[in-house]
């Protein structure tokens, strides 16, 4: 890693220039093998194997990308741990620090859609360059273009809830190459660095989906917990873009960085929300923390308030007082499958300069263990990114 001065303490900044995607390279021949991190099964860091594997070949309707940068998310760690299994009740940090029971880690509900197809190349966030087209893909204009991958894929169309996720249901971007459906790549024209673009897909897609589904509009009083994480910091930016009044919860040390994103009010994560805010002070709660603080979040919601969540890093099992739910006409909104406008919206925000990346650090792909440990320490604000090695 390379350290550089930044407004974020101990930030690690990618000094590489944006990849030149102006000249198509249709004659490019991918090498027969590539370097990748293969997750061998549920368990600890020993399940992450940096090795050489066969380079994927794009099939009908697919494109091959050279991975330029790949972001790190809770998703990869949770999937490796088997945390999505209903038998796991601890928070992400506790699960990562201990050995899960074999039955929990290897159950057939430990992944997003049942059993995870190990061995698996993880990596949900992908900034890549299109280098080859599969059969029946009439998109030569994509060759050589820098793209982002929509990681959540609604395979039966947006009128159905079924979805598959890159790096949870099929191989992802922790590699030099990845193949994806052509329909899920979005060319992006901007001056951001590759690593900066790799901070966007999962965190910002998840954040925008929650705001879209909760119908956040100008003037809404919005509370976001875990505001310093990848999703939380994205929520702050995207909610302010919509004109909401944002109260952000995070540790005191991270308040300056979150305030710089536009948060109107900052609370410490140890504050008692009801005592500080009072009841009925919030219209929308975006809560990916859950755990013991869940009840307090419901109490600060106003009548007709909306509670939306796509995660539970402090613990998935919560205590719900049903009277708080029905007497206040609160709507509980789950958010996993991305809605159709979400990803095109994000591309537009980037190209119009309406959001900015929060790149907290970069690591070489082979240092994934160090990167995930740093991610779980949560000293950073924003996103950490892995950079694959150059081609031989």
């Amino acid at each position: 890693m390379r350290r550089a001065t930044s407004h974020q303490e101990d930030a690690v900044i990618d000094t590489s220039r944006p990849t030149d995607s102006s000249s198509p390279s249709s004659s490019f021949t991918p090498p027969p093998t590539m370097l990748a991190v293969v997750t061998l099964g549920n368990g600890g860091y020993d399940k992450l194997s940096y090795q050489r594997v066969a380079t994927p070949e794009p099939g009908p309707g697919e494109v091959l990308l050279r991975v330029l940068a790949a972001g790190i998310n809770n998703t990869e760690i949770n999937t490796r741990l088997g945390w999505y299994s209903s038998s796991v009740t601890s928070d992400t940090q506790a699960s990562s620090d201990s050995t899960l029971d074999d039955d929990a880690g290897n159950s057939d509900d430990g992944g997003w859609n049942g059993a995870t197809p190990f061995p698996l190349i993880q990596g949900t966030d992908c900034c890549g360059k299109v280098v080859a087209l599969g059969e029946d893909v009439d998109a030569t204009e994509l060759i050589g273009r820098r793209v982002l991958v929509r990681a959540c894929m609604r395979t039966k169309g947006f009128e159905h809830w079924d979805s598959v996720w890159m790096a949870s249901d099929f191989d992802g971007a922790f590699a030099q190459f990845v193949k994806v459906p052509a329909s899920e790549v979005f060319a992006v024209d901007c001056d951001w660095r590759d690593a900066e673009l790799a901070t966007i897909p999962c965190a910002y897609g998840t954040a925008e989906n929650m705001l879209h589904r909760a119908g956040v509009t100008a003037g809404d009083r919005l509370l976001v917990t875990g505001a310093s994480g990848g999703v939380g910091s994205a929520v702050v930016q995207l909610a302010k873009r919509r004109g909401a009044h944002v109260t952000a919860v995070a540790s005191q040390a991270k308040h300056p960085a979150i305030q710089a994103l536009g948060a109107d009010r900052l609370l410490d994560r140890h504050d008692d929300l009801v005592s500080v805010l009072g009841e009925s002070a919030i219209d929308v709660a975006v809560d990916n923390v859950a755990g013991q603080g869940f009840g307090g979040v419901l109490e600060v919601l106003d009548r007709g308030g909306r509670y939306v969540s796509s995660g539970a890093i402090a613990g998935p099992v919560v205590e719900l007082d049903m009277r708080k739910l029905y007497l206040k006409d609160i709507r509980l909104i789950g958010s996993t499958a991305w809605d159709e406008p979400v990803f095109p919206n994000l591309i537009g925000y980037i190209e119009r300069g309406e959001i900015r990346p929060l790149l907290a650090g970069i690591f070489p792909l082979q240092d994934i263990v160090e990167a995930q440990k740093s991610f779980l320490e949560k000293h950073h604000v924003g996103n950490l990114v892995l950079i694959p090695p150059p081609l031989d």
Side-chain angles (χ1 to χ4, degrees):
M1 296 188 296
R2 179 179 301 166
R3 295 198 175 275
T5 58
S6 168
H7 71 279
Q8 295 179 25
E9 185 179 0
D10 291 331
V12 185
I13 303 301
D14 179 13
T15 57
S16 65
R17 303 303 302 164
T19 297
D20 181 10
S21 59
S22 59
S23 54
S25 54
S26 57
S27 60
F28 176 80
T29 300
T33 63
M34 66 176 184
L35 289 167
V37 173
V38 179
T39 305
L40 303 176
N42 289 124
Y45 296 114
D46 60 311
K47 298 297 184 181
L48 299 174
S49 175
Y50 184 64
Q51 61 182 256
R52 189 166 288 278
V53 299
T55 301
E57 297 183 10
E62 296 177 331
V63 298
L64 182 68
L65 306 182
R66 178 181 172 187
V67 178
L68 304 174
I72 294 176
N73 293 284
N74 274 312
T75 296
E76 288 94 19
I77 297 170
N78 291 343
T79 299
R80 169 171 57 78
L81 293 172
W83 184 83
Y84 296 108
S85 171
S86 58
S87 60
V88 178
T89 59
S90 59
D91 61 68
T92 302
Q93 182 66 59
S95 298
S96 67
D97 289 341
S98 61
T99 302
L100 294 175
D101 293 338
D102 289 341
D103 290 342
N106 294 290
S107 67
D108 57 8
D109 67 341
W112 281 69
N113 288 306
T116 303
F118 295 120
L120 177 72
I121 298 173
Q122 295 184 287
T124 308
D125 277 347
C126 179
C127 170
K129 179 178 180 180
V130 180
V131 295
L133 308 178
E135 184 182 347
D136 298 331
V137 177
D138 184 18
T140 55
E141 73 279 359
L142 284 177
I143 292 290
R145 296 291 302 276
R146 194 165 57 149
V147 299
L148 292 178
V149 178
R150 178 166 55 192
C152 177
M153 306 176 187
R154 302 283 281 271
T155 54
K156 296 181 180 178
F158 289 93
E159 66 275 16
H160 296 275
W161 288 108
D162 291 5
S163 62
V164 298
W165 283 78
M166 182 172 78
S168 291
D169 297 308
F170 63 92
D171 284 342
F174 289 166
Q176 290 174 303
F177 295 93
V178 63
K179 66 175 182 179
V180 296
S183 60
E184 307 303 328
V185 298
F186 290 75
V188 56
D189 294 311
C190 67
D191 61 359
W192 293 17
R193 300 180 178 95
D194 300 334
E196 291 174 327
L197 280 173
T199 66
I200 293 296
C202 189
Y204 282 72
T206 298
E208 177 72 4
N209 198 57
M210 287 190 288
L211 298 178
H212 171 77
R213 194 164 289 177
V216 174
T217 58
D220 275 335
R221 300 167 298 168
L222 183 140
L223 172 72
V224 54
T225 61
S228 62
V231 174
S233 57
V235 167
V236 174
Q237 284 198 70
L238 294 169
K240 289 304 300 179
R241 184 202 159 274
R242 289 171 177 252
H245 180 280
V246 176
T247 298
V249 181
S251 61
Q252 289 267 358
K254 298 173 182 177
H255 282 187
I258 300 168
Q259 188 170 39
L261 295 177
D264 299 285
R265 186 172 184 179
L266 294 157
L267 302 180
D268 186 76
R269 60 192 181 93
H270 298 298
D271 286 343
D272 182 286
L273 294 180
V274 181
S275 297
V276 175
L277 297 176
E279 292 192 28
S280 305
I282 298 295
D283 300 306
V284 181
V286 180
D287 180 27
N288 279 0
V289 175
Q292 294 183 352
F294 173 80
V297 174
L298 285 195
E299 284 198 55
V300 300
L301 278 173
D302 201 356
R303 288 288 301 271
R306 293 96 79 194
Y307 174 100
V308 61
S309 177
S310 65
I313 60 173
V317 179
V318 300
E319 183 175 296
L320 170 62
D321 184 338
M322 288 297 295
R323 294 165 295 188
K324 298 294 183 184
L325 176 68
Y326 70 78
L327 290 175
K328 296 175 70 172
D329 296 292
I330 289 173
R331 282 179 281 166
L332 299 181
I333 305 168
S335 179
T336 293
W338 294 351
D339 296 331
E340 187 171 12
V342 166
F343 214 73
N345 283 351
L346 289 177
I347 299 299
Y349 302 160
I350 294 169
E351 294 184 336
R352 294 191 299 269
E354 296 176 1
I355 59 175
R356 63 184 178 90
L358 273 180
L359 176 62
I362 60 171
F363 294 79
L365 179 62
Q366 61 265 34
D367 292 344
I368 186 171
V369 171
E370 180 187 350
Q372 288 194 351
K373 288 180 178 179
S374 179
F375 179 91
L376 287 169
E377 289 171 355
K378 300 190 184 303
H379 296 316
H380 62 285
V381 175
N383 300 74
L384 301 178
V385 171
L386 296 168
I387 304 296
L391 301 181
D392 295 336

